[in-house]
Structures are given as structure tokens and as C-alpha cells.
Amino acid sequence: MEFLYSTDFWLGLMKIVWINIILSGDNAVVIALAARSLPPQQQKKAVMFGSGAAVVLRIVLTVVAAKLLALPYLQIAGGLLLLWIGVQLLSDDEQDEGEGKEYGTLAAAIRTILIADLVMSLDNVIAVAAAASGDMVLLILGLAISIPLVIFGSTLMIKVMERFPIIVMLGAALIGWVGGETIVQDVSLHDVLAVNPWLHYAAAAAGAAIVVAIGRSMQQRAHAAT
């Protein structure tokens, strides 16, 4: 327990918590969008289980993230998966309104949260691991503290989405933005991106536009079919 009296330990812990505050915004959006499709009594469970499992997943990913990011085409596949998740979450929103509202399942919501967090956390965990400087106690403690931060952010987002439906579309667009960024950051495109740095923002904007366009189109088809 001597590490508790170390200034370096507390400084490192503060850095990790701050990094998680900055990087957990998109994760909170995913959790809120997925939990929003559940009955009100299950939303808190999805937020708690999803947030806790996502942090545990980040701890595991920290060990292998650097090696995974070195694999060609992995981030392209992950980015495409994020685009698909964004489209699904946005298109499902049409079914979440009105008296005939259809609810999803808790297992499906948690599965969506974990898949999205798996992809979105690959880059994030490298920043956290760097702040921990190899101290596993510091890493695990810092990530554990981030659980209530993600839970609070997700709970707040659910309330905001209920009051302002436009936030749902913006949240889906954010997932698409991250998906586009993830695709273009793949190691196989490193040289292309180095020569054309503008592709980073172009791909991110394209990802957001694709998710919104396809998601809204699917919403309109579902509405026309009813």
C-alpha cells in the first residue's frame, strides 16, 4: 500500500481519470442510444452492466491494443461495423415512438454496447496505458473510477434524447464520424493518410453522412410500411 503515499501515483491517477472523462463521451452516447430502446425499468440495468463491462473490456484491451492496431484491415472492418451500428440505432428510433412503441431486449442492448465499445476503445486504451506507465494497479483503479463517469453521462444522455429527439440523430452521426475515422486510421492506409491528411476529416464526415442518410431512409421506409 506504499503506492498510496506516492505523488507520482496520484498524478498518474488524475491523468487517467481526466483522459477517461475526455474519451468517454462517445461511449456514453452509444450506451444511451442502445439503452433508449429498452423499457424504462431495464434502462438502468443496461447502463450499469454496459458501462461496467465496457471498462473491464478496456482493461483487457490495454494488454493487446498495440498489437491489434498493427494488424492491417482490422480498423477498416471495425469502422464498417461502427457504421452499421450507427445505422441500426438510428433506424430503430422510428419504432421507439408512439403508443405502439416496441422495446428491444436487455441482452441485445448490452451486446450492441460491447461491440461498439470494443471498436471505439482500441485507440483510447493506448492513451490510458501511456498515462499509467505500466502500473497495472493504477490502470485498473483509474478505469474503475471511470465507471460512474460513463454511467452518469449515459443516464444524462438518455434524458436529453427523450426531451430533444434531434440528439438521437446527432448521436448516430457521432458514431458514424468515429467509424469513418477508424477506417482511415487503418495501418494499411497509413502512407496514404500521411500524404493526404485531409482524408482524416473527409472520411469522418463521410461516415457521419452515410449513417444519417441510410438511417433516415430506413426510418422513412418503416414509416411508409405502417
Side-chain angles (χ1 to χ4, degrees), residues 89-134:
L89 290 174
L90 182 57
S91 62
D92 287 346
D93 182 56
E94 179 68 25
Q95 302 173 12
D96 292 343
E97 305 296 339
E99 297 180 358
K101 180 174 180 176
E102 297 180 5
Y103 292 111
T105 65
L106 180 61
I110 293 177
R111 183 172 63 247
T112 298
I113 292 168
L114 289 179
I115 292 174
D117 196 76
L118 172 64
V119 178
M120 298 166 80
S121 293
L122 283 175
D123 288 332
N124 296 0
V125 294
I126 292 181
V128 174
S133 300

Side-chain angles (χ1 to χ4, degrees), residues 28-214:
V29 170
V30 170
I31 293 172
L33 282 171
R36 187 175 178 273
S37 66
L38 297 173
Q41 63 271 22
Q42 290 188 0
Q43 287 182 352
K44 290 184 178 179
K45 290 182 179 180
V47 169
M48 293 185 65
F49 289 139
S51 301
V55 172
V56 172
L57 182 62
R58 287 191 182 193
I59 294 174
V60 176
L61 278 176
T62 302
V63 181
V64 297
K67 293 182 179 179
L68 288 177
L69 289 175
L71 296 176
Y73 310 116
L74 179 65
Q75 286 186 270
I76 292 178
L80 291 173
L81 183 59
L82 277 182
L83 295 181
W84 178 80
I85 289 174
V87 168
Q88 290 299 310
L89 290 174
L90 182 57
S91 62
D92 287 346
D93 182 56
E94 179 68 25
Q95 302 173 12
D96 292 343
E97 305 296 339
E99 297 180 358
K101 180 174 180 176
E102 297 180 5
Y103 292 111
T105 65
L106 180 61
I110 293 177
R111 183 172 63 247
T112 298
I113 292 168
L114 289 179
I115 292 174
D117 196 76
L118 172 64
V119 178
M120 298 166 80
S121 293
L122 283 175
D123 288 332
N124 296 0
V125 294
I126 292 181
V128 174
S133 300
D135 188 333
M136 289 303 296
V137 174
L138 183 59
L139 176 64
I140 294 174
L141 184 59
L143 290 175
I145 292 175
S146 71
I147 293 178
L149 298 176
V150 178
I151 291 176
F152 173 77
S154 304
T155 303
L156 179 62
M157 284 301 303
I158 290 175
K159 294 179 180 179
V160 172
M161 287 176 182
E162 290 175 350
R163 186 167 183 178
F164 304 102
I166 187 65
I167 300 297
V168 174
M169 185 175 68
L170 295 177
L174 175 60
I175 297 174
W177 180 280
V178 176
E181 283 184 324
T182 302
I183 291 173
V184 81
Q185 288 173 350
D186 189 85
V187 65
S188 65
L189 300 175
H190 181 269
D191 293 339
V192 176
L193 189 61
V195 177
N196 304 284
W198 56 270
L199 283 175
H200 176 92
Y201 297 103
I210 288 171
V211 167
V212 172
I214 297 179

